[in-house]
Amino acid sequence: MRTMPTDACLDPYVRCALSGAAQTALGVSDSAVLAHAPQGCNYLVDGAFSWQDCDYAQTTTLCTKLCEDEIVHGGEELLARTILEAKELDISALFVLSACGPEIVGDDIVAVCEDMQPKVDFKIIPIECAGFRGSQYDGIDLALDAMLRTLAETRPTIPNSVCLVAPHANANPTWMADLAWVKDVLSRLGVQVVATLTHATPLSDLADVAAAEGVLQLSHDAGYRAVAYLADTFGVEPLCAELPLPIGMTNARRWLTSLGERFDAEPIAENMIADGERMVTETCRRRWPMARFFYRTPAAIVADATIGIPLVRFATEEMELTPALVALRSANLDAERLLERELNELGLAPQVVCGTDVYTTRRSLEAVRPRVVFGSTIERHASEGLDVPYIFEVVRPVRQFRLLNREYFGYRGILNLLECIQNEWSDRWRSTQRRYAARW
Amino acid sequence: MEPDERDDIVFHGTLQQLVEKVERGEMVPKLQASHAPMCKFFTSFYVISGIRHVVPLVHGPTGCPLWVSDIVRTRECCEFRGVPLEPTACTSLDETNVIYGGEGKLLEAVKEADERYHPDLIVILSCCCSGIIGDDVESVAREAEKFVHARVLALRSEGFGGDFRSGYEDAFELIMDLMEPPKTIRKRTINLIGARMGPSLTEFSDDLDEITKLLHEVGVKINAVIAGGCTVEEIRRAREVELNASWCYDWGQKLGDAMEARFGIPYSRTGQPYGLKATEEWLMGIARPLGLEKEAERVIREETERIRPDLDYLQRTLEGKTAIIEISEFPGPIRALSLARMAEECGAHPVVINVHPYTIKERMPSIKFLLETGVNPEVILTKGLFRLGSFRSSRETERELEGIVSSFDDPIFFGNAARYPGCPVVNLTLLNPVYLPHYGFRGIHNIAALLRQAMENQRLPRSTLFRGMLYGNETS
């Protein structure tokens, strides 16, 4: 049964379009982001800063700090002045992002950026991304759209090459490791990555993006529009478009096989699959994870579509759980169709919620009463009193601090997920009280 | 080099002189893009979420509530503060609502919030979107109250509508609408006002615990800590007290004045209880009007005796020294100025570094109050404070700080361990709970302990790892 919250009162998981656009702009290296917004919205940009794993020594965020005066009389002049202030920064691009206030009062950031362009040495890229335009995923799409339309140029196609889209629309708290795994795999298959949209992306890569032979979308939540634009405008071929991302044995195998076939590198792909599967099995044999006796225990998956959809198969096949609830943070028709295909193939009929909010999640958990939840810290608290013994915190926000990136994609990704499950399993066995005190 | 000979100093004078310059508009930063503190919406939200069983219902898109709710749901909520997961609801305004208005959606949202969360209070918080399109949140609140069990109030908290101070001041003023005429006056009972301790990222509770303990020892009862986890029922009965006292003068002052003017409830005006004299003043300021002077004197005597070794150590160590207090690296500018007073009381010469003119502007009433009470330290502002970009600003101010410190004899730095000034560093961060509280007598004990570890370990090497992380690998 598929449901979707349509209520007026929402307690949402995902932030607004401004936040998503900032996440995307901050993925371009050697640039700065200027929020044309009241000062509070700048905190969303700061949040995006950590999402893109930015180094604050190299990336600067600015804000026009709009007050009542600019809302009444317009803030274009202030924006122009602030762009000039940024002249002292050593950057190659300045992304100008507009928030709700200036867009409603009609500030034309595109025109201001055009006017100011001759006066500065860096490229100015306006992105109209007011919060009311949609969710953070819509913001990612708006920003990618602005970047591609402004910067992408027709180039001769580079054989055996791809561009990567929306790696940051992924709720793995250290999604950069997923991206790194993809790049490593492509390199081993002899495939060149022309551009990544976006993470530590040089501005010049954005101009070259259309030279790619294929485009790999690394999210089920965002990036569909960018893939379509690249395909329609430049003839870049979408790859692995009908497959869940490579989390778990089957998904990884299918994904690698598809890439191997496309780039005439089947033997390499087959070797990678064989080595990977062997490594996972042998590691488990050596370390002997005890958290493997969940046989057909009802489980809930509450996550973004990027992690949530592939997790369905991982939970069902690797962990032998039975997904009873799949609640996705985003509502996207392409992702929903993919999920439906997966469920049909696996013969599962869980409750499905698309675009869930925290309240709907709580009510769904209450109705389904799973014994295991794949989710975040939010579900840990939201399932209080519902007698859910295991909450595997795999998507942002998680309690455990990670200093090193951990991927979920690929074969080490399987081990990372198993480690997370094992640790939660061990915690569940901790005794909360001592039966007697030691004598020393 | 003497401080005045340095070309990286943009102001050197007293706090009073700086305040005068800010009032004349001379020190207002030219760089619009630098230094962006919280907006009005944030501080309104923080205060309102300090009331139990309240739904702060944000009338706006999803971005506004989600900055605060990320904190409510993770670090601060059930993990640190022992509170349950609370809703951070919003009407999720979209383009259609912006064009056609969102009042109908808001009314429905209030009804849903009441049905879902069973709150005692729903506070509608408007933000930039709803404010600009002119949604009448007050009328919707009045209308909605007819359909729901909870009280419904509305607060105009558009981010562009004011600075962070106006947000909490308006929120406290709104809370006053919940206060009912007193049925009785409860003897020796007070409200502690100016707190914001809900699930959201605000203050840590250790200082509040210390002053609450002292008040109980004196025999003072507390009706409510507003808004530090108080209930709507406690707010309703807030006019039954004999006195209001502030937990934080900066945040409490407006509510204290307003309750005095509107309800005639006296307000004890004292600074933060940092150090012996300020703690005595704070406690006596409450005990005296309640007729509990003798009890308070006894508590002060006993507590003072208990921490006598700490007081002696502070006096002995700080006498004749220069206390360099860097506000931008301190847990709050008013706390830093309170510490300047404590340092002076212990015989040191306080020099306050880098209090941003924005901070002076936003906290003008509190800073003027501190000036009235005789807190008027020497102040130095450096160029780095006005640099564009947080990394550039902090790297430059670090370099400037190191230079300034070297120009003083016997300096001791009061700030946090993220600075490397080449002198003893008293690490007054609030992020090390081992040395909290800073308020009251236990605060004196903790600050003495922090000073002792700074003095005794000053020759140990500092972390090149963390220094490199903060400022890059070459700063000097």
Side-chain angles (χ1 to χ4, degrees):
Chain A
M1 183 181 70
R2 180 188 174 278
T3 58
M4 187 172 170
T6 52
D7 316 293
C9 176
L10 287 174
D11 193 355
Y13 279 96
V14 288
R15 290 180 175 177
C16 65
L18 173 69
S19 170
Q23 284 171 12
T24 310
L26 285 161
V28 179
S29 53
D30 199 19
S31 67
V33 170
L34 166 57
H36 185 42
Q39 61 201 34
C41 299
N42 201 44
Y43 279 63
L44 286 168
V45 179
D46 284 345
F49 199 84
S50 60
W51 189 288
Q52 267 289 2
D53 211 14
C54 289
D55 180 341
Y56 94 126
Q58 291 163 13
T59 313
T60 302
T61 59
L62 314 167
C63 180
T64 46
K65 294 193 287 189
L66 302 175
C67 295
E68 209 149 357
D69 267 3
E70 291 78 32
I71 296 299
V72 175
H73 303 292
E76 292 178 359
E77 194 189 316
L78 180 57
L79 174 60
R81 212 164 60 231
T82 313
I83 290 172
L84 288 180
E85 279 177 16
K87 275 172 89 170
E88 67 171 82
L89 301 175
D90 183 20
I91 51 173
S92 55
L94 177 71
F95 292 97
V96 176
L97 276 50
S98 54
C100 297
E103 285 207 23
I104 298 174
V105 303
D107 280 3
D108 187 348
I109 65 160
V110 178
V112 174
C113 290
E114 275 171 15
D115 286 351
M116 300 314 291
Q117 187 61 78
K119 299 178 184 170
V120 296
D121 295 332
F122 46 77
K123 178 87 183 158
I124 311 174
I125 300 127
I127 303 173
E128 292 173 301
C129 53
F132 62 76
R133 286 177 182 261
S135 74
Q136 70 189 52
Y137 299 124
D138 297 314
I140 290 172
D141 286 338
L142 287 167
L144 289 176
D145 202 47
M147 285 176 189
L148 290 173
R149 285 176 198 279
T150 317
L151 301 167
E153 291 170 13
T154 304
R155 295 269 198 271
T157 300
I158 300 170
N160 276 14
S161 69
V162 295
C163 63
L164 307 175
V165 168
H168 56 301
N170 174 338
N172 172 358
T174 49
W175 56 265
M176 309 83 188
D178 290 326
L179 174 62
W181 180 82
V182 170
K183 286 185 172 178
D184 179 55
V185 160
L186 291 168
S187 154
R188 287 160 69 185
L189 291 172
V191 179
Q192 181 189 341
V193 176
V194 174
T196 303
L197 309 176
T198 60
H199 178 61
T201 308
L203 196 65
S204 55
D205 280 12
L206 293 172
D208 296 339
V209 66
E213 207 172 63
V215 51
L216 260 177
Q217 188 181 339
L218 298 183
S219 171
H220 297 312
D221 295 283
Y224 293 95
R225 273 171 56 182
V227 170
Y229 179 80
L230 285 166
D232 297 345
T233 312
F234 301 107
V236 183
E237 177 193 345
L239 304 173
C240 299
E242 303 295 314
L243 295 175
L245 286 158
I247 296 174
M249 294 281 205
T250 303
N251 288 331
R253 189 185 311 127
R254 291 195 299 198
W255 207 78
L256 288 170
T257 305
S258 173
L259 284 178
E261 285 168 359
R262 171 60 186 78
F263 291 104
D264 295 328
E266 287 106 319
I268 302 172
E270 279 164 19
N271 278 342
M272 282 164 63
I273 294 164
D275 288 351
E277 291 185 354
R278 188 167 50 249
M279 183 275 290
V280 171
T281 312
E282 286 177 0
T283 305
C284 286
R285 194 182 302 132
R286 292 190 182 103
R287 299 289 164 90
W288 211 250
M290 295 301 287
R292 59 180 197 281
F293 301 107
F294 294 113
Y295 185 73
R296 298 307 163 220
T297 302
I301 294 167
V302 185
D304 64 333
T306 302
I307 303 298
I309 293 175
L311 267 187
V312 171
R313 191 173 283 273
F314 171 81
T316 311
E317 291 185 348
E318 266 77 61
M319 299 309 300
E320 299 189 322
L321 291 154
T322 305
L325 167 68
V326 180
L328 302 180
R329 294 175 178 181
S330 64
N332 177 300
L333 279 177
D334 292 295
E336 285 174 42
R337 277 197 286 270
L338 182 63
L339 174 63
E340 204 176 322
R341 272 204 306 277
E342 278 292 275
L343 295 175
N344 287 339
E345 268 184 37
L346 289 163
L348 294 168
Q351 180 173 332
V352 175
V353 186
C354 295
T356 190
D357 77 332
V358 177
Y359 178 79
T360 310
T361 295
R362 163 83 186 179
R363 286 290 164 259
S364 304
L365 291 170
E366 209 169 22
V368 172
R369 295 284 173 162
R371 308 294 289 164
V372 165
V373 176
F374 286 89
S376 67
T377 308
I378 298 172
E379 285 70 48
R380 181 177 295 284
H381 301 311
S383 55
E384 254 181 33
L386 299 181
D387 193 25
V388 181
Y390 301 107
I391 314 283
F392 305 136
E393 294 184 21
V394 292
V395 289
R396 201 170 169 131
V398 298
R399 289 183 308 171
Q400 294 294 321
F401 179 69
R402 289 188 194 174
L403 204 50
L404 294 175
N405 294 339
R406 287 164 176 265
E407 72 268 39
Y408 297 153
F409 288 5
Y411 297 102
R412 283 176 59 94
I414 295 171
L415 297 178
N416 284 328
L417 286 167
L418 288 175
E419 194 173 279
C420 176
I421 292 164
Q422 174 68 29
N423 286 330
E424 173 69 13
W425 181 86
S426 305
D427 270 3
R428 181 73 177 85
W429 283 83
R430 281 167 60 199
S431 181
T432 50
Q433 56 184 34
R434 296 275 172 271
R435 281 173 289 148
Y436 63 92
R439 285 189 174 159
W440 57 282
Chain B
M1 192 189 295
E2 289 297 307
D4 283 336
E5 294 164 8
R6 301 181 61 89
D7 60 5
D8 50 10
I9 287 178
V10 291
F11 173 84
H12 191 181
T14 63
L15 180 63
Q16 176 75 55
Q17 288 165 338
L18 178 60
V19 166
E20 286 162 8
K21 273 183 176 285
V22 170
E23 281 189 316
R24 290 197 298 268
E26 285 177 32
M27 296 299 294
V28 175
K30 289 193 179 70
L31 291 175
Q32 182 68 16
S34 71
H35 191 78
M38 292 180 285
C39 67
K40 181 178 182 178
F41 167 75
F42 280 30
T43 48
S44 301
F45 191 104
Y46 284 160
V47 170
I48 296 302
S49 71
I51 304 169
R52 286 187 191 175
H53 305 299
V54 63
V55 175
L57 177 59
V58 180
H59 188 36
T62 54
C64 307
L66 264 158
W67 168 257
V68 270
S69 72
D70 274 6
I71 295 162
V72 168
R73 290 165 178 172
T74 54
R75 279 183 303 171
E76 297 300 310
C77 184
C78 319
E79 304 296 333
F80 287 7
R81 298 187 181 279
V83 296
L85 181 66
E86 293 286 11
T88 44
C90 80
T91 49
S92 191
L93 290 182
D94 59 19
E95 208 153 357
T96 311
N97 304 132
V98 169
I99 295 167
Y100 297 106
E103 290 174 2
K105 194 177 192 182
L106 177 60
L107 182 62
E108 287 310 305
V110 174
K111 291 179 193 169
E112 283 175 13
D114 188 65
E115 199 182 308
R116 289 175 173 188
Y117 304 113
H118 318 293
D120 293 328
L121 173 67
I122 297 169
V123 179
I124 299 167
L125 294 156
S126 62
C127 53
C128 296
C129 257
S130 45
I132 297 172
I133 64 174
D135 275 3
D136 185 353
V137 288
E138 287 97 343
S139 295
V140 174
R142 276 194 300 276
E143 180 66 13
E145 259 193 335
K146 296 174 192 163
F147 302 102
V148 298
H149 297 99
R151 282 294 313 271
V152 185
L153 300 174
L155 182 55
R156 290 208 167 267
S157 51
E158 298 87 10
F160 64 82
D163 59 14
F164 92 122
R165 178 175 203 90
S166 65
Y168 66 71
E169 285 187 351
D170 288 2
F172 281 129
E173 210 162 324
L174 184 85
I175 287 174
M176 285 172 64
D177 290 348
L178 295 166
M179 296 175 184
E180 292 176 354
K183 295 188 179 92
T184 180
I185 298 297
R186 285 185 279 159
K187 290 285 168 204
R188 293 172 178 174
T189 304
I190 67 165
N191 296 311
L192 280 176
I193 57 177
R196 64 280 190 201
M197 257 177 254
S200 53
L201 177 67
T202 49
E203 287 287 348
F204 291 85
S205 59
D206 306 70
D207 286 326
L208 182 65
D209 293 345
E210 167 69 359
I211 56 176
T212 304
K213 179 185 86 80
L214 292 173
L215 290 171
H216 285 154
E217 283 174 12
V218 172
V220 178
K221 295 188 207 81
I222 297 167
N223 168 64
V225 180
I226 303 173
C230 60
T231 63
V232 171
E233 181 56 27
E234 287 170 346
I235 295 173
R236 282 197 181 110
R237 298 175 62 184
R239 290 170 62 183
E240 294 179 359
V241 301
E242 285 196 293
L243 181 75
N244 281 324
S246 64
W247 125 263
C248 163
Y249 182 80
D250 190 35
W251 285 57
Q253 162 260 331
K254 180 74 185 279
L255 180 60
D257 287 348
M259 284 180 75
E260 189 162 33
R262 194 157 142 192
F263 306 134
I265 300 170
Y267 170 47
S268 170
R269 283 179 188 76
T270 52
Q272 290 172 318
Y274 262 80
L276 186 59
K277 278 192 184 153
T279 301
E280 281 175 5
E281 277 173 22
W282 192 86
L283 210 48
M284 293 306 289
I286 295 167
R288 202 170 289 122
L290 300 180
L292 290 166
E293 276 166 290
K294 287 210 171 94
E295 288 83 346
E297 281 164 6
R298 176 185 53 77
V299 169
I300 290 168
R301 209 168 39 246
E302 287 172 6
E303 292 282 342
T304 305
E305 219 35 60
R306 197 172 54 76
I307 57 152
R308 177 62 60 197
D310 298 310
L311 287 166
D312 291 345
Y313 178 76
L314 282 165
Q315 194 72 41
R316 199 169 58 241
T317 310
L318 291 178
E319 186 72 51
K321 302 285 200 311
T322 303
I324 310 274
I325 300 162
E326 194 189 20
I327 293 220
S328 56
E329 295 302 318
F330 208 85
I334 302 297
R335 281 179 182 266
L337 292 171
S338 302
L339 187 94
R341 180 190 176 186
M342 179 182 177
E344 195 160 21
E345 182 186 315
C346 294
H349 172 65
V351 177
V352 167
I353 293 194
N354 285 343
V355 51
H356 203 288
Y358 250 85
T359 295
I360 297 280
K361 201 168 143 222
E362 286 171 334
R363 292 181 166 86
M364 192 61 88
S366 308
I367 287 173
K368 282 192 169 169
F369 169 78
L370 288 171
L371 285 168
E372 280 168 26
T373 59
V375 179
N376 187 22
E378 184 180 336
V379 176
I380 294 174
L381 306 191
T382 65
K383 273 185 184 165
L385 189 64
F386 304 95
R387 288 282 275 179
L388 204 57
S390 52
F391 174 69
R392 286 147 47 100
S393 179
S394 56
R395 184 167 63 166
E396 192 166 321
T397 49
E398 167 65 18
R399 194 182 293 132
E400 291 158 350
L401 173 74
E402 290 175 22
I404 288 167
V405 163
S406 66
S407 65
F408 287 99
D409 294 329
D410 279 340
I412 298 174
F413 178 74
F414 291 82
N416 73 42
R419 290 299 198 192
Y420 300 80
C423 69
V425 172
V426 184
N427 181 25
L428 288 160
T429 176
L430 293 181
L431 295 177
N432 184 2
V434 175
Y435 294 100
L436 292 177
H438 291 171
Y439 276 14
F441 297 98
R442 280 168 61 213
I444 295 168
H445 172 73
N446 283 329
I447 291 170
L450 288 164
L451 177 63
R452 188 185 295 275
Q453 69 188 29
M455 300 306 291
E456 291 178 357
N457 298 300
Q458 59 180 299
R459 292 189 198 291
L460 291 180
R462 298 292 312 272
S463 169
T464 49
L465 167 65
F466 291 144
R467 184 186 169 115
M469 182 188 98
L470 290 164
Y471 308 115
N473 290 326
E474 30 88 37
T475 55
S476 309

